[in-house]
């Protein structure tokens, strides 16, 4: 680092060169063209609306386990851009591909940049911002209204208190997009509108568009369930969807949610998750949405206070969660665990409290299985799709003239909130008070 340390005279010469370069900033950073104080034009991400505002502040957990204040209360992205300028001795404009492969010579910082390699757009231009405790005494920041001693001293003391934090940022202030990679950043428990969340963050992104009405970040939701209550007897389909998100967080996530339509009302669904996951939040527009995708340990899940599922002992499960809440009459929770060759959940489902009672003496199955759960203002629905083997009780198969055995079947259970148990109107397979709709998929005949 000492080779990059420069005298004030050398910095003034470099700064003059930067002023000339800033007159023509490339591509999507065109809003910075002609800016005389380049670093002062790099803001921190704004807090948009009140939804999930506590999480948007990114509170940090100190090395002693206590809260250390919000990331953006103590760290300015303009200073990070200054450190990148100091280390590279040039205007810190890099492509997304260059940022993902950035080599600083500091392991933690290089890891932080690598953590956002899949989130930046490879060919797009960004302002690079970097900081690590190794820089604090080795690099002299360029002269700018954003590099006052008060700001730099506050940031230095905060970083030293966190002990070993490294941050790598890809910034586009013209599109209000800020993507940050971390090494050594954790949060205390954060209470939000969708339950309590705790993170060991690898990455965080904020994107709102130039007019704060869009996003340049997407989150792919694999095998989202398309279910329509107006077609109550149809199991719907599992299809990939891409959702724009304004906030994207990735790393270790701990989340607990008890869902009810209104405060003090009955719990309609609850979930407890601890996994390596990506969490996306949509804050722009009338409908607020939270999405979690993971290939990791499963959650515990309770549906309508009837069905209890515990996947916490199973690893590497492909799963996603979508949650939207607008009002007590307009909300949506969905959990999907899609089929995996490595995990056979058929036995767990058939032994699960509540669910086993619904399926006993009607159907048994084994093999590759997917599960989809939806809870909304109308009711709760559960879809089980088997791609292995199933067996239906002979009397039921005979009554409804369907095969008593086969390889593929969809099982659909539904319960409106006003109903006392899971059932389904005709046509269905009746067993006591429970009705289960079976959709068999037979092989084509020649």
């Amino acid at each position: 680092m000492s080779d990059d340390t420069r005298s004030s005279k050398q910095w003034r010469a470099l700064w003059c060169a930067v002023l000339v370069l800033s007159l023509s900033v490339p591509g999507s950073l065109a809003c910075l063209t002609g800016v005389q104080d380049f670093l002062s034009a790099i803001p921190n991400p704004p807090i948009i609306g009140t939804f999930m505002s506590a999480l948007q502040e990114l509170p940090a957990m100190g090395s002693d386990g206590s809260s250390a204040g919000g990331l953006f209360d103590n760290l300015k992205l303009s200073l990070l851009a200054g450190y990148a300028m100091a280390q590279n001795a040039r205007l810190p404009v890099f492509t997304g591909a260059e940022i993902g492969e950035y080599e600083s010579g500091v392991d933690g910082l290089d890891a932080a940049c690598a953590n956002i390699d899949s989130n930046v757009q490879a060919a797009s231009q960004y302002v690079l911002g970097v900081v690590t405790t190794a820089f604090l005494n080795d690099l002299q920041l360029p002269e700018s209204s954003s590099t006052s001693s008060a700001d730099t001293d506050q940031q230095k003391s905060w970083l030293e208190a966190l002990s070993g934090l490294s941050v790598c940022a890809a910034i586009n202030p013209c599109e209000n997009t800020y993507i940050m990679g971390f090494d050594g950043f954790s949060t205390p428990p954060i209470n939000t509108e969708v339950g309590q969340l705790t993170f060991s963050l690898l990455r965080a992104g904020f994107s709102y568009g130039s007019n704060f009405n869009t996003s340049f970040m997407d989150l792919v939701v694999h095998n989202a369930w398309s279910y329509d209550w107006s077609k109550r007897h149809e199991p719907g389909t599992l299809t990939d969807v891409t959702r724009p998100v304004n906030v994207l967080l990735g790393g270790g996530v701990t989340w607990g949610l008890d869902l009810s339509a209104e405060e003090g009302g009955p719990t309609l669904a609850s979930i407890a998750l601890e996994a390596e996951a990506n969490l996306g939040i949509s804050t722009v527009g009338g409908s607020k949405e939270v999405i979690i995708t993971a290939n990791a340990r499963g959650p515990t899940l309770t549906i309508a206070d009837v069905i209890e599922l515990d996947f916490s002992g199973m690893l590497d499960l492909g799963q996603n969660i979508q949650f939207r809440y607008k009002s007590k009459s307009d909300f949506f929770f969905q959990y999907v665990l899609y089929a995996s060759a490595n995990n056979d959940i058929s036995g767990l489902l058939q032994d699960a409290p509540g669910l086993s009672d619904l399926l006993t003496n009607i159907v048994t199955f084994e093999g590759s299985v997917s599960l989809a759960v939806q809870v909304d203002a109308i009711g709760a629905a559960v879809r089980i799709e088997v791609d292995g083997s199933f067996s239906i009780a002979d009397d039921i198969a005979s009554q409804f003239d369907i095969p008593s055995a086969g390889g593929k079947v969809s099982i659909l259970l539904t319960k409106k909130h006003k109903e006392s148990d899971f059932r389904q109107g005709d046509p269905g397979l009746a067993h006591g008070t429970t009705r289960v709709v079976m959709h068999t998929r037979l092989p084509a005949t020649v």
Side-chain angles (χ1 to χ4, degrees):
M1 293 297 171
S2 59
D3 291 341
D4 290 320
T5 305
R6 299 176 182 274
S7 67
S8 296
K9 183 176 181 181
Q10 289 173 312
W11 266 116
R12 281 194 293 271
L14 174 60
W15 188 239
C16 289
V18 167
L19 288 177
V20 173
L21 286 170
S22 66
L23 296 176
S24 180
V25 182
S28 60
L29 296 174
C31 73
L32 298 177
T33 296
V35 171
Q36 295 300 299
D37 187 347
F38 185 83
L39 297 184
S40 68
I42 310 301
N44 277 2
I47 303 298
I48 302 299
T50 59
F51 181 64
M52 305 288 279
S53 58
L55 188 146
Q56 292 182 59
E57 294 171 0
L58 290 188
M61 185 169 65
S63 55
D64 61 355
S66 63
S67 177
L71 178 76
F72 300 119
D73 293 329
N74 295 280
L75 183 150
K76 295 178 66 175
L77 295 186
S78 57
L79 292 178
L80 271 65
Y83 280 119
M85 185 183 293
Q87 189 183 43
N88 295 280
R90 68 175 179 88
L91 196 70
V93 174
F94 291 76
T95 66
E98 290 171 333
I99 292 175
E101 298 175 353
Y102 189 71
E103 294 184 0
S104 67
V106 179
D107 289 344
L109 182 56
D110 294 347
C113 290
N115 283 338
I116 58 174
D117 182 48
S118 61
N119 302 103
V120 293
Q121 298 179 18
S124 295
Q125 300 281 346
Y126 299 91
V127 176
L128 172 66
V130 295
V131 73
T132 180
T133 50
F135 283 176
L136 299 181
N137 298 314
D138 290 342
L139 288 179
Q140 181 180 345
L141 287 167
E143 295 178 11
S144 167
S145 61
S146 293
T147 56
S148 66
S149 58
D151 289 333
T152 55
D153 290 348
Q154 178 183 350
Q155 178 169 286
K156 179 178 178 180
S157 61
W158 187 74
L159 287 166
E160 288 175 338
L162 290 186
S163 181
L165 171 64
S166 294
V167 184
C168 175
I171 309 158
N172 186 331
C174 308
E175 297 176 348
N176 287 309
T177 295
Y178 313 82
I179 302 172
M180 290 165 287
F182 300 101
D183 186 70
F185 185 83
S186 297
T187 74
I190 307 169
N191 292 316
T192 75
E193 299 88 331
V194 298
Q196 189 178 86
L197 291 151
T198 304
F199 294 91
S200 295
L201 279 180
L202 300 177
R203 64 192 65 87
F206 302 81
S207 182
Y208 306 102
S210 58
N211 295 317
F212 296 96
N213 61 357
T214 187
S215 174
F216 290 88
M217 296 189 302
D218 294 322
L219 188 57
V220 177
V221 183
H222 293 294
N223 293 296
W225 185 21
S226 175
Y227 177 69
D228 185 350
W229 279 100
S230 67
K231 301 176 182 178
R232 185 173 179 177
H233 311 317
E234 297 296 324
T237 57
L238 301 181
T239 55
D240 288 358
V241 298
T242 299
R243 306 290 297 175
V245 294
N246 302 111
V247 181
L248 177 62
L249 306 175
V253 180
T254 302
W255 182 42
L257 170 70
D258 291 315
L259 173 63
S260 58
E262 55 187 327
E263 187 174 353
T267 299
L268 306 177
S270 64
I271 189 169
L273 174 72
E274 183 175 356
E276 291 290 319
N278 287 315
L279 182 147
I281 306 168
S282 295
T283 61
V284 171
S287 182
K288 312 305 183 184
E289 183 174 9
V290 177
I291 301 167
I292 296 179
T293 64
N295 282 86
R297 181 189 303 274
T300 58
L301 180 66
T302 302
I303 309 150
D305 205 28
V306 175
I307 298 174
E308 299 177 20
L309 301 169
D310 185 353
F311 299 109
S312 60
M314 306 186 77
L315 304 177
D316 194 29
L317 296 175
Q319 54 200 314
N320 64 68
I321 302 164
Q322 297 184 79
F323 178 61
R324 293 193 299 272
Y325 189 93
K326 194 170 184 179
S327 69
K328 64 181 182 181
S329 61
D330 186 1
F331 62 90
F332 170 89
F333 170 86
Q334 185 179 107
Y335 173 79
V336 174
L337 191 162
Y338 41 96
S340 167
N342 299 324
N343 288 288
D344 181 355
I345 64 170
S346 59
L348 188 152
L349 291 177
Q350 291 169 97
D351 292 336
L355 185 58
S356 62
D357 295 336
L358 298 173
L359 300 177
T360 298
N361 299 324
I362 297 179
V363 60
T364 59
F365 52 86
E366 62 182 13
S368 182
V369 176
S370 67
L371 169 74
V373 173
Q374 181 170 307
V375 179
D376 53 30
I378 297 175
V382 178
R383 177 188 193 273
I384 300 169
E385 182 169 296
V386 179
D387 190 354
S389 63
F390 71 88
S391 177
I392 298 173
D394 289 341
D395 58 333
I396 295 175
S398 176
Q399 178 182 353
F400 290 95
D401 193 25
I402 59 177
S404 60
K408 296 182 179 182
V409 65
S410 295
I411 304 167
L412 177 65
L413 303 95
T414 63
K415 174 186 176 299
K416 292 187 175 181
H417 295 313
K418 63 184 179 182
E419 298 170 347
S420 61
D421 50 48
F422 277 88
R423 64 180 68 213
Q424 178 71 345
D426 291 332
L429 300 180
H431 177 65
T433 61
T434 300
R435 289 187 177 272
V436 182
V437 170
M438 314 288 289
H439 294 261
T440 58
R441 291 173 290 154
L442 304 178
T445 57
V446 179

